[in-house]
Amino acid sequence: MELRRKDLLGIADLSPEEINLILDTAASLKEISTRPIKKVPTLRGRTVVTLFYEPSTRTRMSFEIAAKRLSADTVNLTVSASSAVKGETLADTAANLEAMQPDLLIIRHMASGAPHFLARRLKCGVINAGDGLHEHPTQALLDLLTVREAKGRLDGLKVAIIGDIAHSRVARSNIHGFTKMGSEVIVAGPATLLPPHLESLGVKVCHSLEEAVTGADVIMMLRLQLERMEQMFFSTLREYSAQFGLAPRHLALARKDVIVMHPGPMNRGVEISPEVADGPHSVILQQVTNGVAVRMAVMLLLIGGEKG
Amino acid sequence: MSLLITGGLVVDPSQNLEEPRDLLLEGGRVAALEPPGAIPRQDRRVLDATGLVVAPGLIDMHVHLREPGEEYKETIETGTRAAAQGGFTAVACMPNTWPVNDNASITRYILDRAQARGSTRVYPVGAISVGSRGETLCEYADLKAAGCVALSDDGRPVMNSLLMRRALEYAKTFDLPIISHAEDLNLRADGVMHEGLVSVRLGLKGIPASAEEVMVYRDILLARLTGGRLHLAHVSTAESVAIIRAAKAAGLKVTAETAPHYFSLTDEAVLGFDTNAKVNPPLRSEGDRLAVIEGLRDGTLDAVASDHAPHSVLEKDVEFAEAAFGIIGLETSLGLTLRLVHAGKISLGRAIALLSTNPARILGVPGGTLAVGAPADLTLIDLNREWIVDPTRFASKSKNCPFGGWRLKGKAVMTMVQGNINWTEMECLG
């Protein structure tokens, strides 16, 4: 089986069958990472380039480890935003990379749609590793895998996503992913951080953490970017934390076997209390482990077959 | 030299006329307008306009010709050629050139270039404030004497309400209209498209409709306060239309225009991150689009103006957030407006009023009429000619058009300024 597509740009354009294929493949690849010699030759001779216009350690490293475990050659290019402004255009950067004939380009960019811009121009496959406020598809896939492992299913679950939805590509991709797979998604946050027309994505919208987590099977906390305060999106960290920070008392409202997720990096004591982050309901580190498996699966499905 | 135009359907809203008429042009003016056959042919040159609409020359009251300063995007020569091919005999060009048209010498430069290289009449619009920086007033008397027909800080909206008040008052002294680019820059923030269903999906920062509406309302209140002549540019939202409708009902001297993309497209055109659909104000919702059409129909909106905004691939072939705002429109404006006529939304007479008679009246310039004695500026239109929009064949230097591949019905086939044919696709001149 392989994905019949050149690129992975977002969850919005994936079918539930494609999502299941990726998750099943990822599940079967997890075992490789537990071996003493964590490497299979599947992508030997293939070249994978990561092109990151935003600082990221864990996502880039996760992609790199995934590629190496499949024996692909990896090259990492980090472009600081300031030098990109002065330097060449994205189209030129892409053309130059293409000339070196990579098999796969993994891009993170602050502009929504930048991976789509590249995918239209390049013959090689493109994986979106996060574009602006738009999508972060591999994050949503690893979240889906983590939930499926914990719950045994995705349909019929109640998933609460809490925090800065407006500026979160993780939230957008997860909203598409969970609703496609039959979960019920409820989002909560201050109205300033919930974009208008959010309901059109098929989610329930509320302004109360308590309401959102009541009866939830899954609670996903989003990272609050601290600079939003100066941008008038909320008053103070103290108030944000009091209203929308997840604490042990909230877990009592959720289902007994609720799991708590966070895409990282966490602001401990802001959106999530240390007791919850490190507590028995937390699956935050499983998410990281599954990130490698999901990224291996996506690379394999995009360039592992005959097409390449 | 005289020219007799026979057999055409003369559509002239200034005379409430939509009848077959023969038209005699002499000395650059309309010399006679009579029922078919009533004007003797004698030895006159005759132009057979059978099957065509003969309209007063179309006037696009809102274009960006980019000269001086950004000649790689457009020049007065290429922009007016695009205008002529699109059926226009006159354009009003906005002052956000480099340098800004905020003094008489720039105005005279534009007019000199238009005289030397232009295919249409060119009416410069002067800046409201020096450098369009929103700080101090320009010399309006000087600008008018040099040839400016209106004032605007288009593209760089006047955020300071006191300055806008003073501009409306000071311009009143010289009987110049103020053309308002109504946009609250703080509300727009770093938005790049309409805030709505599509922006939430694409993760692009939104520009709420209210960023326009609060300024439409502010400027109407200031027009009421000052008695100044206010014209609202590129109206794009349902609530703006409603506010203007109420202001007109209250008897205020307010006029308004919209652009073809606001009645032809919605924010869904941005899906796929097409930078040619990035424009300011942004393409709005379907409800807004329908309200704009209703405003055109019921007279709330007075004019269709293209807001022709050329940009090169340097500004458009980039990430969506980085791309420049703007759509070119001179060569599609008539065709898109006639789409409304063919769909039965507005009458043919109304379309010509929106594209010719009303812009002439608002700017106080000649034209917009084929009454005897008026300048012989006219546009011949084949209403039933079907054509496919192909930006690569445009006269404009820039190609940032979201309508490529559209099949349109209705096209200008000849434009004439002061009796001289300055562009035509017609073969036979008898």
Side-chain angles (χ1 to χ4, degrees), chain B residues 235 237-238 240-242 244-245 248 256-258 263 287-304 340 345-346 350 354 358:
Chain B
V235 170
T237 83
S240 293
V241 173
I244 296 163
R245 186 178 287 127
K248 287 187 161 189
E257 76 193 30
T258 191
F263 59 73
D288 293 309
R289 189 184 76 87
L290 296 174
V292 165
I293 293 174
E294 177 56 20
L296 290 169
R297 193 197 63 76
D298 75 2
T300 302
L301 300 176
D302 302 274
V304 169
L340 297 181
K345 308 283 187 198
I346 61 173
R350 180 76 190 140
L354 291 164
N358 294 350

Side-chain angles (χ1 to χ4, degrees), chain A residues 181-194:
Chain A
M181 301 313 285
S183 304
E184 178 200 342
V185 178
I186 181 164
V187 301
T192 43
L193 294 175
L194 302 175

